[in-house]
Amino acid sequence: MEGDLGAGKTTFTKGLAEGLGVKRSVSSPTFTIIKEYEGELPLYHMDVYRLEYSDEDIGFDEYFNGNGISVVEWATFIEDYLPDERLNINISYIDEQSRELKFQAVGTHFEWVLNELKR
Ligand SMILES: Nc1ncnc2c1ncn2[C@@H]1O[C@H](COP(=O)(O)OP(=O)(O)O)[C@@H](O)[C@H]1O
Ligand SMILES: [Mg+2]
């Protein structure tokens, strides 16, 4: 996920968590980098803002190749570690009440996901 501070990345993740049936409340993982939640699928919520000038690998592969859904705020900061198949989401602020979301599928699986969303 990409989008300026305050664009709505964490808020979007809260909605995703709700859809997955996560009972705990989702809060920003800015200081912990990653938070894990249990839902119908595990949810791994990462905020890698603090890794902008670092090439630290906190074990991304295990999350990305695991059975859960990984959501990454400021994903371009860990571009080298991102999986080849993914859904890029760009959120921008329009006004206090509205946001624009752009979805870009990378790889055939997420092309399918996007088509399902459009139906
Ligand atoms: N789709 C939306 N519509 C209206 N307000 C939103 C929306 N998404 C987020 N907000 C508000 O914008 C503020 C910042 O959202 P947040 O999700 O923390 O942004 P980010 O994680 O991108 O920094 C919050 O006060 C939140 O309630
Ligand atoms: Mg956030």
Side-chain angles (χ1 to χ4, degrees):
M1 238 178 335
E2 286 304 315
D4 292 339
L5 194 69
K9 302 179 294 302
T10 299
T11 303
F12 181 88
T13 310
K14 287 180 184 184
L16 183 67
E18 202 179 311
L20 284 170
V22 171
K23 299 278 188 305
R24 276 168 60 205
S25 76
V26 171
S27 59
S28 179
T30 304
F31 296 101
T32 51
I33 299 183
I34 175 154
K35 283 185 179 169
E36 304 187 24
Y37 299 90
E38 271 177 52
E40 280 163 43
L41 292 170
L43 173 65
Y44 310 124
H45 182 200
M46 310 178 204
D47 182 332
V48 298
Y49 186 76
R50 294 199 303 149
L51 301 183
E52 180 173 13
Y53 301 109
S54 136
D55 58 3
E56 190 185 346
D57 181 355
I58 59 167
F60 293 114
D61 271 0
E62 279 186 48
Y63 293 108
F64 297 153
N65 297 328
N67 295 321
I69 296 183
S70 300
V71 179
V72 186
E73 299 192 31
W74 303 100
T76 52
F77 292 168
I78 59 156
E79 206 150 28
D80 292 348
Y81 298 112
L82 293 178
D84 295 336
E85 299 245 338
R86 61 180 190 265
L87 185 62
N88 293 335
I89 303 175
N90 197 292
I91 307 184
S92 20
Y93 181 98
I94 303 292
D95 61 39
E96 215 173 305
Q97 294 301 320
S98 40
R99 301 294 190 273
E100 180 182 67
L101 277 76
K102 288 182 186 156
F103 296 88
Q104 181 202 23
V106 184
T108 50
H109 174 66
F110 288 99
E111 279 170 16
W112 177 84
V113 169
L114 268 193
N115 280 326
E116 288 295 303
L117 266 180
K118 279 190 228 157
R119 285 181 347 138

